[in-house]
Amino acid sequence: MNKPEISIYESMNTHDLIHEYKLGYEKIPKDILYLDEEKINLRFKKEDHAGLWSCKEIIGHIADAEVAVTHRLRRIYSEDKPKLAIWDEEQFFRSGIYELNSIQEYLESIKSIRGLTASTLEKFTEKDFSRVAIHPERGEISVKEIFSYITWHLVYHSWYLTRKIELLK
């Protein structure tokens, strides 16, 4: 399987995008639950072609992204062109914050947030998906663009998780 391309998600209509978003959680490889603590926390080398972060760090990162994006989507719906904050994902990684929670806690968070967000977005109109915010680096960005990104984001990182698990077997 090839790495998922964001353009596929950007080209979807909102109905199909919501459907894919709802299926996203199932794309996280469940084999991750059977890794021992050493394997869950193992960082990879560039030559492994599986990304550098450990499985646990990726799952923690996905959980953080889900929280951040859900908050952004709710702000854009509720406010007129809100100014979004950026976050330094590399600093989160370097801080060691992903060591503080278990894989199970991160997975529960992802599943719960996705459920809430999907339920909310199913009630959005096409006009709601066109609402915009101001991103400090990208300028105007719409609900649909952000939603396309987060739908792709989980699948993209799940591709890396699958690769890591294959290397750990």
Side-chain angles (χ1 to χ4, degrees):
M1 181 173 106
N2 294 328
K3 260 192 265 186
E5 297 293 330
I6 193 166
S7 59
I8 294 168
Y9 298 90
E10 291 170 333
S11 68
M12 288 182 181
N13 64 49
T14 54
H15 174 77
D16 291 344
L17 195 57
I18 291 169
H19 178 73
E20 284 298 311
Y21 179 79
K22 288 166 76 174
L23 293 175
Y25 179 79
E26 299 305 319
K27 295 182 181 182
I28 297 172
K30 299 309 176 237
D31 288 352
I32 197 167
L33 294 169
Y34 304 107
L35 298 177
D36 62 34
E37 211 50 39
E38 181 182 342
K39 288 181 178 178
I40 285 172
N41 292 304
L42 181 69
R43 291 194 177 142
F44 290 75
K45 297 178 182 114
K46 189 175 184 174
E47 57 269 17
D48 293 328
H49 304 288
L52 303 177
W53 294 6
S54 72
C55 292
K56 188 174 188 179
E57 289 165 335
I58 288 180
I59 292 293
H61 166 71
I62 292 169
D64 279 345
E66 294 289 333
V67 170
V69 168
T70 293
H71 183 255
R72 285 178 173 181
L73 294 173
R74 295 174 76 81
R75 281 195 65 209
I76 300 168
Y77 180 88
S78 302
E79 300 174 21
D80 187 34
K81 287 191 179 181
K83 292 182 178 138
L84 304 176
I86 57 173
W87 56 297
D88 183 349
E89 65 184 37
E90 289 294 328
Q91 187 57 40
F92 276 55
F93 168 73
R94 287 188 298 273
S95 76
I97 194 149
Y98 298 127
E99 297 168 19
L100 302 179
N101 297 93
S102 70
I103 287 278
Q104 291 80 7
E105 289 171 318
Y106 288 131
L107 291 172
E108 288 170 16
S109 172
I110 294 164
K111 188 174 186 178
S112 176
I113 292 166
R114 280 210 163 213
L116 172 69
T117 302
S119 176
T120 301
L121 292 174
E122 287 175 325
K123 297 168 183 82
F124 275 25
T125 65
E126 287 303 316
K127 187 176 179 182
D128 295 330
F129 278 96
S130 297
R131 291 183 60 85
V132 296
I134 308 301
H135 189 281
E137 297 172 341
R138 297 186 188 123
E140 272 194 5
I141 188 165
S142 72
V143 167
K144 174 129 189 304
E145 289 172 296
I146 293 171
F147 186 50
S148 298
Y149 172 81
I150 199 62
T151 303
W152 164 83
H153 184 261
L154 184 144
V155 177
Y156 175 78
H157 282 297
S158 292
W159 183 90
Y160 277 103
L161 285 169
T162 299
R163 173 79 177 126
K164 290 173 189 301
I165 291 166
E166 288 170 359
L167 292 171
L168 291 169
K169 288 183 179 176

